[in-house]
Amino acid sequence: MNIDLEDLRAFVATAEMQSFRAASDSINLSQPALTRRIQKLEATLGVQLLERTTRRVSLTAVGRDFLPRARRLLDDLETSLLSVREIAERRSGLVSIACIPTAAYYFLPDVIGEFTKEFPSIRFRIVDAGANEVLQSVLNREVDFGITLLGTDDPEVAFEPLIEEPFYLACRRDHPLADRTEVTWAELADHRFITVGRASGNRLIMDLALAGAQIRPRPYYEVQHLSTSLGLVEAGLGVAALPRMSLPADPHPLISAVPLKDPTVTRTVGVVRVPQAKAPPAAEQFYRMLLSRWQTATGADSRSVD
């Protein structure tokens, strides 16, 4: 099968921008030439990758499955074309990471900053996604490794625990519970509770821990992301239970964090990877730094990992 790499680039650009015009501008190709390249790729593969209407471009089911593979092919080619000596010496390359949003926001920038001081030419691609999406990205070999929650027994992957962090109550500083040294889960039943959707790994952890509780919080609001929970808390709409890493690292002018007990609920965050998949030298070097930095901070506040 003879696939032109420029055809792949044309497909990826169009799929990401959902527009032939924007894609043609981004890769400096005329729209007719772009269309011909995608048609040639579809003919070579024997499948339709894009659905075209007068207003928009969307991916077919096959196109959605093929897009991450096409991205990976292009990334791998770009990395392979770099100087072999530079890659061996880890002076250049690409590190691809899938990561749950809380770790991506509060932890990764610090480690990447330190890594970049030593290896300034190495590039990063970070896929911030939910725990299930992180695992799937690792299994599909779309990333070198992932940072996610414990919760898989897939024999293909290995999970290395890095830190176990407790859930805290997040409430406004003017809330009746804000000045408490600790709060029980049962006490949250008297307050408007903000929770995350059932697709969230954090929701599963809380539901399992509270499965046998006679009194438990009753959700008034359901959101998809922990950061949205904080926004509702800040607005005074209710209280939320959040893992420590997702709370503001510095004293917040409006939000208080109070330890939750009875039961103490924790989540385990770690690195997931496919042991049989050989990571590029740059990714392997960053992986080792990641483990070293995070494990050094095991006894510290789970948000402050420096």
Side-chain angles (χ1 to χ4, degrees):
M1 186 177 292
N2 186 16
I3 294 180
D4 192 322
L5 291 171
E6 294 305 320
D7 297 347
L8 281 178
R9 291 192 177 94
F11 163 68
V12 170
T14 306
E16 290 178 342
M17 297 183 179
Q18 296 185 353
S19 164
F20 279 96
R21 176 178 296 177
S24 63
D25 290 342
S26 71
I27 60 177
N28 297 317
L29 198 65
S30 69
Q31 288 189 52
L34 178 72
T35 300
R36 286 194 297 272
R37 286 201 173 277
I38 293 176
Q39 288 174 341
K40 183 158 70 76
L41 177 63
E42 290 178 326
T44 301
L45 296 175
V47 295
Q48 183 179 353
L49 300 173
L50 297 173
E51 293 179 341
R52 307 156 178 85
T53 66
T54 56
R55 294 187 176 183
R56 63 191 299 268
V57 178
S58 60
L59 289 164
T60 64
V62 176
R64 284 193 297 273
D65 181 69
F66 182 62
L67 178 59
R69 302 170 190 270
R71 286 194 188 113
R72 185 68 186 218
L73 282 170
L74 293 174
D75 286 341
D76 286 348
L77 174 66
E78 187 174 352
T79 300
S80 298
L81 292 178
L82 294 171
S83 165
V84 174
R85 181 175 179 181
E86 284 187 340
I87 294 175
E89 293 177 357
R90 304 183 183 91
R91 291 206 301 259
S92 65
L94 174 69
V95 180
S96 294
I97 310 167
C99 184
I100 55 175
T102 47
Y105 185 81
Y106 290 106
F107 176 66
L108 267 186
D110 180 57
V111 185
I112 290 176
E114 180 177 329
F115 187 82
T116 302
K117 290 178 183 177
E118 189 172 353
F119 307 106
S121 297
I122 291 177
R123 299 169 295 119
F124 282 84
R125 184 169 68 91
I126 301 170
V127 180
D128 52 329
N132 291 333
E133 290 86 353
V134 170
L135 176 62
Q136 202 57 50
S137 294
V138 173
L139 286 170
N140 292 343
R141 312 294 202 274
E142 297 168 15
V143 295
D144 299 314
F145 58 87
I147 301 174
T148 186
L149 307 178
L150 176 64
T152 177
D153 54 1
D154 194 301
E156 249 193 287
V157 301
F159 181 87
E160 177 145 10
L162 296 177
I163 194 166
E164 187 173 351
E165 57 169 353
F167 278 71
Y168 275 61
L169 167 69
C171 61
R172 276 181 60 101
R173 289 190 176 277
D174 56 2
H175 192 275
L177 299 176
D179 294 329
R180 298 275 295 275
T181 57
E182 56 185 14
V183 175
T184 67
W185 287 87
E187 289 177 285
L188 301 186
D190 297 327
H191 302 274
R192 290 183 174 269
F193 189 65
I194 305 162
T195 189
V196 286
R198 296 186 183 279
S200 167
N202 294 292
R203 172 67 177 270
L204 177 62
I205 290 171
M206 288 188 287
D207 285 349
L208 289 175
L210 300 174
Q214 293 183 347
I215 304 176
R216 56 187 297 175
R218 185 177 63 171
Y220 277 80
Y221 307 98
E222 181 176 294
V223 300
Q224 298 305 309
H225 303 288
L226 296 178
S227 56
T228 308
S229 299
L230 281 176
L232 297 182
V233 170
E234 189 173 329
L237 296 177
V239 301
L242 303 174
R244 192 68 171 118
M245 189 186 294
S246 66
L247 294 168
D250 299 318
H252 193 281
L254 294 177
I255 296 177
S256 288
V258 184
L260 282 165
K261 67 170 189 175
D262 298 334
T264 298
V265 181
T266 63
R267 72 172 189 175
T268 302
V269 179
V271 176
V272 62
R273 65 194 314 209
V274 178
Q276 291 76 17
K278 184 172 177 58
E284 191 64 34
Q285 180 74 11
F286 183 76
Y287 171 76
R288 287 197 292 268
M289 177 180 284
L290 186 71
L291 295 186
S292 174
R293 287 293 301 278
W294 213 332
Q295 290 171 341
T296 298
T298 298
D301 185 308
S302 62
R303 298 162 306 149
S304 178
V305 290
D306 191 357

